[in-house]
Amino acid sequence: MFCYQCEQTAKGGCTKIGVCGKTDSTASLQDLLLYLSKGLSQVACAAREQGIEDPEVNLFTVKAVFSTLTNVNFDDARFVALINRCVALRDRLKAKVSGVEFDGPTVLMPALDIPGMVAQGREFGIENDPEPDADVKSLKQTLTYGLKGVCAYADHAAILGKEDNELYAKVQTLLAATLAQGLTVPQCVEAGLECGRINIRAMELLDDANTSTYGHPVPTEVKLGPTAGKAILVSGHDLKDLETLLRQTEGKGINIYTHGEMLPCHGYPELHKYPHLAGHYGTAWQNQKKEFAEFPGAILMTTNCIQDPKKYIENIFTTGLVGWPGAVHVQNDDFTPVIEKALELPGFAETVDKGSVTTGFARNAVMSVAGTVIDAVKSGDIRHFFLVGGCDGAKPGRNYYTEFVEQAPADTVILTLACGKFRFFDKKLGDIGGIPRLLDVGQCNDAYSAVQIALALAKAFDCGVNDLPLSLVLSWYEQKAVAILLSLLALGIKNIKLGPSLPAFITPNVLDYLVENYNIAPISTPEADLAEILG
């Protein structure tokens, strides 16, 4: 195997087993599914030119690609099912297309068993990419990883009924483009920016899906300590799974806790209304092995972020695209096995006060006090805004973000989102004229909210976003972060600080291009970066 799609990749690329825990066979099956999904996209593009649109193919494409994102599915048997379904949909659609000569992934038939599929997958891994230009290959990989993030957001939105055929068409066009030979660096750069643009649309769809279903988030205090009683912990990102579980556990004496990126769910009125949504447990995804092992109830993983759960395999359940061999997979929104396990386990013996945090500062909440914010900037009470967020991870160097927030001057405001906030989410930073200095905007997909806040402030100050007293200090781990970075570049946002390390798939020439055109820079030290930003 060879994989370097995440920030924690070992020595420039995992070659024996992934840092995430995926095996060589899983990695190869993912490579095969991704290659076939690109072929499915080629067929979909050809069909669309002849006026043929297949909604099932469109939705499957984003689900298949999302399933190859880091820490989603580790179950080889489920990849076999996805591979066979991909080929069945491809051939069904291909039969409707006339006058087109197909080849490559549009005609490849998968082997009949897992060893055969694994061998096929190795043929289409990164190291066997025939692209001779290292910079073009780098940009194609960047595009591929950005599209994985786009597909994740598109799938989240589709779960709540929000879809866009134009978005699907662009995803498939760009997936097909990654197979093209003879592309130039400028063409690949433009494709990456187009990925960023369609990611903005995907996040917009998801934002609409979440807010139209559950209401716009409002600032909400969230209890951190446990409440005595039976317990279920929900991790991942999916709001609908949480709502369904809350409905199915009403009156059963079970408290529901959020974990990781589910923390912002407390800010949605239609979720917060359930009295047994008891609070938040734990921190970011990479700490789950310890935190989950100590949790005295059932655990539900709704989207990506799962780690090897062998110490608590009987207590953890997966749903959606998540999979782990041996873990019970819940289907058809029936969480009965999760509920039964929670009732069987002891739950928390006593109520413990561990303080609280506040979430729910999405764009509506922030812009409702925009006048106060603008006045504070004009008066000099607020000198600067920092957006400090992104993915958290276990690799050394991430304490930088904690120290950066701790050292940020008292006349600055910290906006944060995604699981990167767990480095400092419980810090008591006070307020400026009633405006909290730490504002939790939400999940990683709520980067859309953060962008809307920035655009609204730019309009209010009659300037460009790059002229605002706003700096982005980002951490990355997986491919949703790549998609968001491409979106920021597509919006023309410059001067981004990125860490804790730069992607292994970025060549020196591509990095030089980003530095020259966008002034992207790696983080250094909190002291040096604050001094440079604040001048």
Side-chain angles (χ1 to χ4, degrees):
M1 66 174 287
F2 180 83
C3 182
Y4 59 6
Q5 69 178 3
C6 84
E7 190 270 337
Q8 291 187 175
T9 186
K11 299 178 181 178
C14 297
T15 57
K16 294 183 179 179
I17 188 169
V19 174
C20 63
K22 68 181 175 185
T23 62
D24 167 65
S25 64
T26 302
S28 297
L29 291 171
Q30 288 182 355
D31 287 341
L32 179 59
L33 177 59
L34 185 61
Y35 181 65
L36 289 169
S37 297
K38 292 177 178 182
L40 177 62
S41 296
Q42 288 179 318
V43 174
C45 290
R48 195 171 286 112
E49 289 182 0
Q50 298 182 13
I52 304 167
E53 192 84 46
D54 190 325
E56 191 174 359
V57 165
N58 292 343
L59 185 56
F60 177 84
T61 301
V62 299
K63 286 183 177 295
V65 174
F66 177 22
S67 71
T68 69
L69 187 145
T70 301
N71 291 85
V72 178
N73 183 20
F74 295 80
D75 190 337
D76 288 359
R78 296 191 64 211
F79 275 116
V80 169
L82 287 167
I83 287 167
N84 288 328
R85 183 61 178 158
C86 184
V87 170
L89 289 172
R90 179 199 71 188
D91 290 349
R92 186 184 77 184
L93 182 57
K94 194 165 58 172
K96 300 176 183 179
V97 179
S98 59
V100 178
E101 186 174 341
F102 291 108
D103 58 12
T106 63
V107 298
L108 177 70
M109 295 303 296
L112 299 179
D113 57 18
I114 288 180
M117 288 185 181
V118 168
Q120 286 178 313
R122 288 185 182 132
E123 294 180 37
F124 306 111
I126 297 165
E127 290 186 307
N128 291 326
D129 185 343
E131 175 58 57
D133 187 308
D135 298 326
V136 170
K137 181 177 178 178
S138 169
L139 289 165
K140 280 186 177 182
Q141 290 301 320
T142 304
L143 174 59
T144 297
Y145 302 146
L147 287 169
K148 290 189 181 192
V150 175
C151 288
Y153 295 137
D155 180 57
H156 294 339
I159 287 170
L160 289 173
K162 298 293 182 179
E163 299 185 68
D164 183 342
N165 281 337
E166 186 177 348
L167 172 63
Y168 290 139
K170 289 180 177 179
V171 165
Q172 289 164 339
T173 298
L174 290 173
L175 280 169
T178 64
L179 295 173
Q181 298 299 308
L183 294 178
T184 64
V185 166
Q187 287 174 321
C188 291
V189 168
E190 176 52 35
L193 295 177
E194 178 65 3
C195 179
R197 287 188 282 270
I198 66 172
N199 186 58
I200 294 170
R201 175 57 181 153
M203 291 192 296
E204 180 185 35
L205 272 179
L206 180 53
D207 179 87
D208 182 31
N210 288 340
T211 57
S212 64
T213 306
Y214 303 112
H216 282 276
V218 296
T220 303
E221 189 175 5
V222 183
K223 184 172 179 287
L224 294 180
T227 299
K230 304 291 184 177
I232 296 175
L233 185 63
V234 184
S235 192
H237 301 77
D238 195 277
L239 275 61
K240 185 180 179 183
D241 285 332
L242 176 61
E243 180 204 20
T244 304
L245 183 63
L246 286 166
R247 282 193 282 103
Q248 292 181 13
T249 51
E250 282 187 292
K252 296 185 183 296
I254 301 173
N255 291 315
I256 308 298
Y257 298 85
T258 56
H259 175 269
E261 288 258 50
M262 298 300 285
L263 170 62
C265 294
H266 291 269
Y268 288 91
E270 291 301 309
L271 297 175
H272 182 68
K273 71 181 183 182
Y274 290 93
H276 60 301
L277 182 59
H280 187 78
Y281 172 91
T283 52
W285 68 271
Q286 78 276 1
N287 300 319
Q288 68 186 253
K289 287 186 179 182
K290 178 178 186 298
E291 294 171 351
F292 287 5
E294 296 173 351
F295 188 77
I299 303 160
L300 176 66
M301 292 297 303
T302 67
T303 56
N304 58 308
C305 293
I306 192 170
Q307 289 186 299
D308 184 354
K310 61 177 175 286
K311 292 183 179 179
Y312 40 87
I313 191 70
E314 293 181 354
N315 298 343
I316 195 167
F317 300 80
T318 61
T319 191
L321 294 173
V322 189
W324 192 280
V328 173
H329 190 73
V330 176
Q331 300 187 64
N332 303 317
D333 294 330
D334 182 3
F335 293 112
T336 300
V338 186
I339 295 168
E340 290 176 345
K341 176 58 70 172
L343 293 173
E344 173 190 322
L345 292 168
F348 287 104
E350 59 182 350
T351 299
V352 180
D353 183 4
K354 292 188 176 181
S356 64
V357 295
T358 302
T359 190
F361 293 101
R363 69 179 193 282
N364 269 30
V366 174
M367 297 320 298
S368 68
V369 293
T372 304
V373 172
I374 292 165
D375 288 344
V377 173
K378 290 181 176 178
S379 68
D381 291 336
I382 295 178
R383 176 169 36 149
H384 206 84
F385 295 90
F386 295 104
L387 175 58
V388 184
C391 312
D392 202 359
K395 198 172 182 179
R398 290 182 180 266
N399 284 340
Y400 165 94
Y401 298 94
T402 309
E403 296 166 7
F404 187 97
V405 168
E406 289 175 337
Q407 295 178 31
D411 57 357
T412 62
V413 172
I414 311 294
L415 297 165
T416 190
L417 49 79
C419 61
K421 64 173 160 274
F422 289 108
R423 293 281 166 172
F424 49 80
F425 80 125
D426 55 354
K427 300 291 181 184
K428 304 304 180 185
L429 301 183
D431 65 89
I432 300 174
I435 302 167
R437 287 194 58 230
L438 181 59
L439 301 173
D440 180 6
V441 177
Q443 296 182 338
C444 57
N445 51 277
D446 291 313
Y448 177 78
S449 254
V451 167
Q452 294 305 308
I453 291 169
L455 293 174
L457 288 174
K459 183 176 180 180
F461 285 108
D462 192 25
C463 67
V465 172
N466 292 314
D467 300 316
L468 285 171
L470 168 68
S471 298
L472 279 65
V473 184
L474 306 181
S475 55
W476 80 284
Y477 173 73
E478 41 91 326
Q479 297 83 66
K480 289 180 182 177
V482 177
I484 291 171
L485 179 61
L486 291 174
S487 293
L488 295 173
L489 300 183
L491 290 168
I493 294 176
K494 300 183 178 183
N495 306 315
I496 298 169
K497 299 284 187 185
L498 184 64
S501 62
L502 295 176
F505 50 84
I506 296 293
T507 62
N509 287 337
V510 173
L511 178 60
D512 288 345
Y513 176 88
L514 293 174
V515 171
E516 181 179 346
N517 290 276
Y518 297 96
N519 199 30
I520 286 182
I523 58 172
S524 57
T525 66
E527 297 83 358
D529 289 345
L530 280 166
E532 177 193 337
I533 292 168
L534 296 175

